[in-house]
Amino acid sequence: MNIIEGLLTPFAGRFAIVASRFNQLIVDRLIEGAEDAFTRHGIADDQLDLIWVPGAFELPFIAKKLAESQKYAAVICLGCVIKGETDHYDYVCSQAAGGIASVAIETGIPVIFGVLTCDTLEQAQNRAGGKAGNKGSDSALAAIELVSLLNQLGGK
């Protein structure tokens, strides 16, 4: 059996990080985690572009523009939605997740879902560099791995 899997090796292309300003204290930590993971795996700072959007709901729209530009090997979407007292949380999380997934499918560019969807601020802090690691770092690693896998499969 021939096994094909992505590698965490440096890549010469560009990566975009689209970040939500809403809950920015948490998102800043996710960005730091992503930057650290990229650096540790040989991706230089000048290969990264950071684009800010107002909230998680707007992530898919800008991610699609970036993916369609063909300037990026992968796009990472980082955000944080914390459950409140209304249904707003459910709508935002659902639309962000579905939108981000559809951008990847429609464009053929890896678009990574790095949006924390938490019940509490403490849960978000734990996933942004606390007890549960840093999901920004995990998102950067997923992007690097998917780019490597696409290259092996003869993709973009």
Side-chain angles (χ1 to χ4, degrees):
M1 173 186 328
N2 184 28
I3 298 173
I4 303 169
E5 58 186 348
L7 305 171
L8 295 173
T9 55
F11 177 75
R14 300 192 64 71
F15 292 85
I17 300 171
V18 186
S20 165
R21 273 198 198 94
F22 201 80
N23 291 317
Q24 188 170 345
L25 290 174
I26 298 295
V27 177
D28 284 343
R29 292 169 60 187
L30 295 173
I31 293 167
E32 290 169 9
E35 289 176 314
D36 181 62
F38 278 127
T39 299
R40 289 177 186 268
H41 289 85
I43 306 297
D45 193 51
D46 64 358
Q47 291 176 259
L48 305 174
D49 289 334
L50 174 62
I51 300 92
W52 287 99
V53 297
F57 192 84
E58 292 78 24
L59 290 167
F61 174 69
I62 297 302
K64 185 171 184 187
K65 293 290 183 193
L66 296 169
E68 288 175 339
S69 76
Q70 299 291 311
K71 288 176 24 180
Y72 299 99
V75 177
I76 299 170
C77 296
L78 300 178
C80 176
V81 185
I82 300 173
K83 192 163 181 69
E85 296 179 5
T86 69
D87 293 339
H88 185 255
Y89 168 88
D90 297 317
Y91 296 117
V92 171
C93 294
S94 175
Q95 292 302 308
I100 290 167
S102 69
V103 170
I105 292 166
E106 291 170 15
T107 64
I109 300 293
V111 182
I112 310 301
F113 182 77
V115 180
L116 301 180
T117 56
C118 302
D119 290 329
T120 67
L121 177 60
E122 182 181 8
Q123 288 175 346
Q125 291 169 329
N126 285 339
R127 288 160 180 75
K131 291 187 253 184
N134 188 307
K135 300 309 175 192
S137 175
D138 295 346
S139 296
L141 296 177
I144 295 168
E145 187 173 341
L146 281 174
V147 169
S148 167
L149 186 57
L150 278 177
N151 286 336
Q152 291 178 61
L153 296 173
K156 298 177 184 176

